[in-house]
Amino acid sequence: MFPMNPLAGILLLSLVATQALIAQDAATRGADALIPKPVSCINKTGVFVLDPGTPVAAPIAFREAGQLLAEQLRLSGQKKPGKKRGKAIVFEQASPQDHLQAEGYKLHITPTRITLTAQTLPGAMHAAFTLIQLQRLQPDLSKIPCAEITDYPRFRYRGMHLDVSRHFFPVSFIKKYIDLMAMYKYNTFHWHLTDGPGWRLEIKQYPLLNQVAAFRTHSDWKSWWKSDRRYSNAGTPNAYGGFYTQEEAREIVAYAARRGITVIPEIEMPGHSEEVLAVYPELSCSGQPYKNGEFCIGNDATVTFLQNVLSEVIDIFPSTYIHVGGDEAGTKAWAQCDKCQLRKKQEGLHTEHELQAYLIKRMEHFLKSRGRKLLGWDEILEGGLPPDATVMSWRGEKGGIEAARQGHDVVMTPGETYLDAYQSDPTTQPEAIGGFLPLQRVYNYEPIPAALNAEQAKHILGVQANLWTEYMPTTYQVEYMAYPRAIALAEVAWTQPDKRQFDDFHRRLQAHYLLLQRQAVNYYRPSTFLAVYAQPDYARQVNLVSFTSEQFQPEIRYTTDGSAPTAASSLYNSPFPVSGQTEIRAAIFKNGQPQGSLTAYTANYHKAIGKKVQYNQRWSDSYPAQQEATLTNGVRGSITYSDKQWLGYLKDFDVTIDMESLQPIASVAVQFMHQPGPGVFLPSYVEVQFSEDGVHFTPFPRMTHDVSSDNPKLLFKTFALDSRNVAARYIRVIAPNVMGGFMFVDEIVVY
Ligand code: ACM
């Protein structure tokens, strides 16, 4: 043992401190910013400095990964690394004894050597993309921070879908879409190539699909949908559409494969086929163009057509899976079609669903004969699944659960993966299809339904983001809807559930905006809007007020006296109590300046909270919210009617609140939602009546509104009555439903 030298100890410490400083000076972003989060990741001090001459070496099995990495890191190419200790990037093939998981890899970055170890090419590819991502996160692209990473995916199917029928996007964009998928470790591109609004793949045997069915009269889907939905000849000045040639499709397949991504083509059947039946009407039940959306299943020509099309598709796409759609097919035409009815009889089928299943089974038989597997939307369950079909569960998780229980493989694509829904307050967003799916809801999605046991859960292959493009006319809008939500789902698909935590993801995401900007992605920028939430504390009879924002750890300042907040106002850090009616004003501040718009909110701990409500008309069981408690629980509805605070009515609204004692009532206010897209309308008027005994009621004048039912916007209307301290124990609120759609109401505020 040497005697302790206190100076030596100090020297050592200062050396460590200097190293840490060097790491900070380099302004590197550590590997703890990676998305999806790896299984294990340790930041190390120091950086590997890339220069164009840095050699990349890879064994034969990983040569493609090596070439791709060199290209992406802008290195001059693959070389043999020089002396053993020379600076280099080296792929190594693990031996089976290393026990790397399927698709697993190790990435070890030191100042002189980067080692990427994998057993399989997909694993080597993941290692490469982890390194590429780590580079793209760096302010200085030549400095890669040292780290030690071990990683493998949770799910083997990690998909993104793109609908190119409703709007058509160029090959260059498809490649960009695939580039981003690879960056976030998606491995499957589900290409929705055919649908009523346009056929998008060259089929040599059926030229009308490309000359006519690929073009329509309106560029914008919504205008076309509202019109009489006609197709157009290629070359017509106003024709909108196009298709991918087989050569282009092959180019996409190869481009994706090079990045470790499989392309699964979808050819829709038997529904969503208006475009085919307009040009080949003999395949429809009526035999006439523009009459049917479903193929005639009684007609052998249909089977011949579909098999011929699939033959060409199989030639282009090497994927094991071929997606045959199967969603949302109507059965009416089949029920009235002699050929379909004859088919049913001959095949001993009982229902039209079984007729659809008959077609899907024939397609599976055909695909199997070509060595492929069938994938379809969950409707293919309805008349009985083909023996080896895999199901995409999109109408919630029900279909997925059922299919897994039957022993079929499943890809989960429920509402939480529909990136066509609004991601922020719809009143601030470009028109979308509806719904509300903010980043955090995507992130928190758990693909394995709790209802499945461990054995059944093995059938959940993974998860997929769907981008239906009704409201995405441009590539910019596709990117806007996809990112950053697709990054959140990438982590759902890849990362082990015990490593997934939204706040941590949100922190890491901050580093990825630089990457997205560098790749010129038109991602959705987080808004500076502050959402206010007032949570009643019934024991203390106050509201606990909290704020949420899409910004990461914003500086929030607020007032409770109605004045505008300033840089000197109270700093928000945790929920705070307010009583009665309190005017909250708040804003996000940066460098002493408010950002975006001021938030104004009235928190009400009102007199009816906790009081019993008699429902003279019952709510709709589709939207029961908090049932009896909803209207007097003190909790306001948010911007979405699916938040379980909005009580839905298909009938008239009519309730009576019992205030428990006779008392002066100063005001009564009730709020309704208006959102015509999904059929949500205001009542024609609101009438409030008061009673001392619950038998004899005195009405106050009806309150009307001037919101047109045609107004397409989401908005909220408060009907507020100044009841001038009328003495009452019972308050009845009536609101007739004139539109026949839904009415949504959240709370009756009484003072
Ligand atoms: C679907 O969203 N129609 C599968």
Side-chain angles (χ1 to χ4, degrees):
M1 281 276 283
F2 293 99
M4 277 291 279
N5 177 345
L7 268 179
I10 287 170
L11 207 67
L12 194 68
L13 280 175
S14 67
L15 200 67
V16 170
T18 313
Q19 276 189 352
L21 270 180
I22 288 168
Q24 279 170 13
D25 278 355
T28 53
R29 269 162 166 166
D32 58 352
L34 288 167
I35 300 177
K37 192 180 181 75
V39 170
S40 148
C41 172
I42 303 164
N43 279 341
K44 300 274 181 175
T45 47
V47 296
F48 180 98
V49 178
L50 277 174
D51 60 66
T54 305
V56 178
I60 300 279
F62 297 163
R63 196 165 58 192
E64 285 175 50
Q67 275 166 356
L68 187 83
L69 181 67
E71 226 171 81
Q72 298 278 320
L73 296 179
R74 311 263 196 280
L75 304 176
S76 47
Q78 293 200 76
K79 292 199 188 104
K80 279 215 160 67
K83 290 173 296 192
K84 196 152 172 40
R85 280 172 35 245
K87 213 171 69 175
I89 301 176
V90 181
F91 282 86
E92 282 178 1
Q93 186 151 24
S95 70
Q97 289 89 303
D98 289 334
H99 297 299
L100 284 185
Q101 307 264 346
E103 295 187 64
Y105 69 91
K106 286 180 194 280
L107 176 60
H108 192 191
I109 305 167
T110 71
T112 53
R113 185 159 285 240
I114 297 178
T115 314
L116 306 95
T117 311
Q119 206 161 303
T120 60
L121 181 60
M125 210 67 104
H126 295 317
F129 274 108
T130 296
L131 184 57
I132 293 160
Q133 186 186 103
L134 192 54
Q135 183 210 24
R136 303 263 166 103
L137 298 176
Q138 304 309 320
D140 177 346
L141 288 167
S142 72
K143 296 196 177 87
I144 301 190
C146 293
E148 221 176 301
I149 296 165
T150 303
D151 201 10
Y152 53 86
R154 178 181 182 200
F155 291 110
R156 65 179 197 263
Y157 186 108
R158 304 178 299 278
M160 278 184 81
H161 148 287
L162 183 64
D163 164 17
V164 293
S165 174
R166 289 174 178 84
H167 286 103
F168 180 58
F169 309 107
V171 168
S172 56
F173 177 71
I174 304 299
K175 289 182 177 172
K176 189 180 179 193
Y177 196 77
I178 286 169
D179 283 339
L180 281 164
M181 287 176 59
M183 187 66 80
Y184 291 102
K185 297 190 165 55
Y186 281 101
N187 66 355
T188 309
F189 173 46
H190 170 177
W191 206 2
H192 186 77
L193 285 163
T194 76
D195 209 311
W199 181 281
R200 303 282 175 237
L201 181 67
E202 179 186 19
I203 299 294
K204 300 199 195 244
Q205 294 170 84
Y206 298 103
L208 292 180
L209 292 176
N210 303 120
Q211 286 162 21
V212 181
F215 293 89
R216 63 176 188 243
T217 50
H218 298 64
S219 60
D220 168 58
W221 173 83
K222 192 175 168 187
S223 314
W224 178 78
W225 189 252
K226 285 184 165 173
S227 73
D228 51 6
R229 299 180 202 167
R230 296 288 143 149
Y231 303 94
S232 212
N233 283 301
T236 306
N238 285 35
Y240 170 88
F243 59 92
Y244 305 98
T245 63
Q246 296 199 353
E247 195 183 333
E248 287 171 329
R250 286 198 169 89
E251 185 185 326
I252 293 291
V253 166
Y255 187 90
R258 196 155 179 257
R259 288 153 181 78
I261 292 174
T262 301
V263 183
I264 298 181
E266 179 181 351
I267 303 297
E268 271 273 14
M269 66 188 77
H272 283 285
S273 298
E274 291 83 353
E275 86 288 25
V276 179
L277 303 175
V279 296
Y280 296 112
E282 63 275 19
L283 305 177
S284 69
C285 293
S286 70
Q288 292 169 49
Y290 296 112
K291 283 254 172 3
N292 301 107
E294 285 76 29
F295 284 99
C296 172
I297 300 179
N299 188 348
D300 284 331
T302 291
V303 175
T304 307
F305 170 87
L306 291 171
Q307 291 184 350
N308 287 343
V309 167
L310 288 179
S311 287
E312 293 194 33
V313 167
I314 285 166
D315 263 4
I316 303 165
F317 296 92
S319 58
T320 305
Y321 280 119
I322 303 292
H323 201 305
V324 299
D327 59 320
E328 298 180 309
T331 56
K332 219 164 112 191
W334 301 333
Q336 295 162 359
C337 168
D338 292 343
K339 286 184 198 153
C340 287
Q341 292 311 306
L342 182 61
R343 175 82 79 196
K344 259 174 73 183
K345 212 161 129 199
Q346 285 170 340
E347 299 293 332
L349 309 172
H350 303 98
T351 64
E352 270 62 40
H353 287 310
E354 288 182 17
L355 189 62
Q356 164 159 348
Y358 162 82
L359 178 76
I360 300 292
K361 283 173 185 162
R362 282 194 68 171
M363 290 302 128
E364 173 174 72
H365 186 75
F366 175 75
L367 290 174
K368 270 184 169 171
S369 75
R370 302 296 179 95
R372 306 303 180 93
K373 283 171 87 169
L374 181 140
L375 182 56
W377 300 110
D378 59 44
E379 284 91 335
I380 66 170
L381 275 155
E382 282 169 1
L385 278 178
D388 295 313
T390 296
V391 172
M392 268 189 182
S393 186
W394 73 279
R395 294 175 302 174
E397 297 191 321
K398 211 165 71 244
I401 291 169
E402 176 58 29
R405 284 184 175 151
Q406 291 181 22
H408 288 262
D409 285 345
V410 172
V411 174
M412 283 305 203
T413 64
E416 289 89 338
T417 71
Y418 268 58
L419 305 189
D420 54 350
Y422 285 103
Q423 59 197 314
S424 191
D425 179 349
T427 61
T428 67
Q429 294 300 298
E431 188 174 15
I433 205 155
F436 182 58
L437 184 64
L439 183 70
Q440 187 162 5
R441 220 178 128 220
V442 176
Y443 189 81
N444 288 338
Y445 176 59
E446 169 47 48
I448 298 197
L452 296 183
N453 65 32
E455 208 43 49
Q456 295 160 343
K458 288 185 188 154
H459 287 293
I460 307 296
L461 302 183
V463 63
Q464 173 172 289
N466 288 341
L467 281 107
W468 299 100
T469 57
E470 280 91 341
Y471 296 91
M472 302 179 210
T474 64
T475 58
Y476 296 103
Q477 191 60 17
V478 174
E479 291 182 350
Y480 181 89
M481 298 306 279
Y483 286 89
R485 289 184 294 183
I487 301 181
L489 198 72
E491 186 147 305
V492 172
W494 180 277
T495 302
Q496 301 301 316
D498 61 344
K499 291 231 155 26
R500 262 169 51 204
Q501 207 267 329
F502 183 74
D503 287 342
D504 174 53
F505 167 78
H506 203 196
R507 171 189 66 75
R508 283 177 285 126
L509 181 62
Q510 304 313 304
H512 289 252
Y513 292 121
L514 177 62
L515 183 156
L516 295 174
Q517 288 160 15
R518 279 182 169 146
Q519 312 235 148
V521 179
N522 183 43
Y523 66 88
Y524 167 71
R525 271 71 179 169
S527 115
T528 51
F529 177 78
L530 273 180
V532 187
Y533 185 65
Q535 167 71 41
D537 176 336
Y538 302 114
R540 291 158 69 195
Q541 305 215 341
V542 293
N543 274 309
L544 288 171
V545 175
S546 58
F547 300 103
T548 57
S549 162
E550 294 169 10
Q551 299 290 316
F552 179 64
Q553 296 183 342
E555 175 189 330
I556 299 168
R557 296 196 177 266
Y558 68 93
T559 66
T560 54
D561 61 2
S563 65
T566 69
S569 299
S570 303
L571 178 68
Y572 172 75
N573 40 41
S574 59
F576 57 91
V578 296
S579 57
Q581 182 161 322
T582 306
E583 295 297 330
I584 315 265
R585 301 284 181 271
I588 292 176
F589 280 76
K590 213 169 179 176
N591 304 323
Q593 295 300 317
Q595 310 288 300
S597 56
L598 179 78
T599 293
Y601 182 84
T602 308
N604 279 300
Y605 200 99
H606 60 90
K607 295 203 314 192
I609 288 180
K611 299 295 189 287
K612 195 166 165 6
V613 178
Q614 176 188 309
Y615 288 81
N616 307 317
Q617 292 270 27
R618 191 181 155 81
W619 56 83
S620 157
D621 282 325
S622 303
Y623 293 94
Q626 303 300 311
Q627 311 203 35
E628 282 87 351
T630 309
L631 298 175
T632 53
N633 67 354
V635 183
R636 306 307 301 267
S638 67
I639 56 179
T640 167
Y641 52 74
S642 52
D643 67 2
K644 298 195 163 61
Q645 293 300 339
W646 288 100
L647 197 57
Y649 272 84
L650 283 166
K651 297 187 274 195
D652 294 340
F653 176 76
D654 183 352
V655 298
T656 307
I657 305 173
D658 180 355
M659 297 298 290
E660 293 170 7
S661 63
L662 189 62
Q663 57 191 284
I665 305 294
S667 65
V668 177
V670 58
Q671 177 185 236
F672 285 84
M673 178 186 279
H674 165 94
Q675 192 177 16
V680 179
F681 298 98
L682 298 178
S684 48
Y685 62 82
V686 172
E687 182 175 299
V688 183
Q689 305 176 352
F690 298 92
S691 168
E692 295 184 8
D693 57 7
V695 179
H696 304 94
F697 281 85
T698 308
F700 268 58
R702 290 172 177 177
M703 296 175 279
T704 56
H705 63 86
D706 54 10
V707 176
S708 160
S709 60
D710 294 336
N711 184 335
K713 294 232 155 75
L714 166 68
L715 51 90
F716 301 90
K717 173 75 189 166
T718 299
F719 297 84
L721 177 73
D722 173 0
S723 43
R724 302 187 293 272
N725 286 328
V726 60
R729 172 172 170 178
Y730 300 93
I731 304 170
R732 185 173 178 186
V733 182
I734 298 167
N737 184 339
V738 276
M739 295 300 294
F742 268 104
M743 299 198 301
F744 282 103
V745 50
D746 64 338
E747 184 80 4
I748 298 178
V749 175
V750 178
Y751 280 103

